[in-house]
Amino acid sequence: MRDVPARKRVEAVIKNIRRATRRQFTDEEQIRILLESLRGEDSIAELCRREGIGSSMDYGWSKEFLETSKRRPSGATTQAVTANEVKESHREAGALKEVVADLVLENRLLEQA
């Protein structure tokens, strides 16, 4: 019986870690999904189910995209970034998320001990 509360605490910690490390969509993925939703080939609900996102997320991305495009002056340029730099940045971010998740779990387990 003593293991039941401990198990629930561990499950709660794991749930919080999963919540903190949810999948992050790249700008390219967001734009691809937005373009698919604008094409109207599938319903927004079906597209969101297939992509594993909520329809509110699609709406938020659409709103953000439209607001950003309004603010950007015409003729503005962006800095060119190589694909390798982007991949390395994604690798670093993933590694950092894993380290943070491990440390959070370790700290919570130490606090409970």
Side-chain angles (χ1 to χ4, degrees):
M1 290 278 185
R2 290 184 116 186
D3 291 330
V4 174
R7 183 177 184 162
K8 288 189 184 243
R9 285 194 307 264
V10 169
E11 288 172 354
V13 168
I14 291 171
K15 184 177 180 181
N16 288 335
I17 290 171
R18 284 186 182 139
R19 182 177 295 131
T21 57
R22 285 188 177 138
R23 179 173 175 207
Q24 298 292 316
F25 290 86
T26 64
D27 291 340
E28 291 82 10
E29 289 173 317
Q30 290 179 18
I31 291 169
R32 178 186 55 78
I33 294 169
L34 285 174
L35 289 175
E36 283 186 42
S37 70
L38 292 173
R39 279 190 208 113
E41 294 171 356
D42 296 322
S43 69
I44 299 295
E46 186 176 330
L47 173 65
C48 291
R49 265 193 305 276
R50 187 175 63 235
E51 296 294 337
I53 62 171
S55 57
S56 62
M57 185 176 284
D58 178 72
Y59 172 76
W61 289 347
S62 298
K63 186 176 177 181
E64 180 183 344
F65 180 75
L66 292 174
E67 291 298 318
T68 302
S69 62
K70 286 180 190 175
R71 287 191 303 255
R72 184 175 177 191
S74 61
T77 59
T78 58
Q79 179 182 358
V81 178
T82 66
N84 288 337
E85 290 172 329
V86 172
K87 287 178 184 175
E88 180 59 29
S89 177
H90 285 267
R91 255 184 259 128
E92 282 181 17
L96 289 172
K97 283 181 182 179
E98 288 180 20
V99 168
V100 168
D102 288 342
L103 290 172
V104 167
L105 179 60
E106 184 177 319
N107 284 338
R108 288 186 181 167
L109 291 175
L110 287 174
E111 289 173 358
Q112 294 173 0

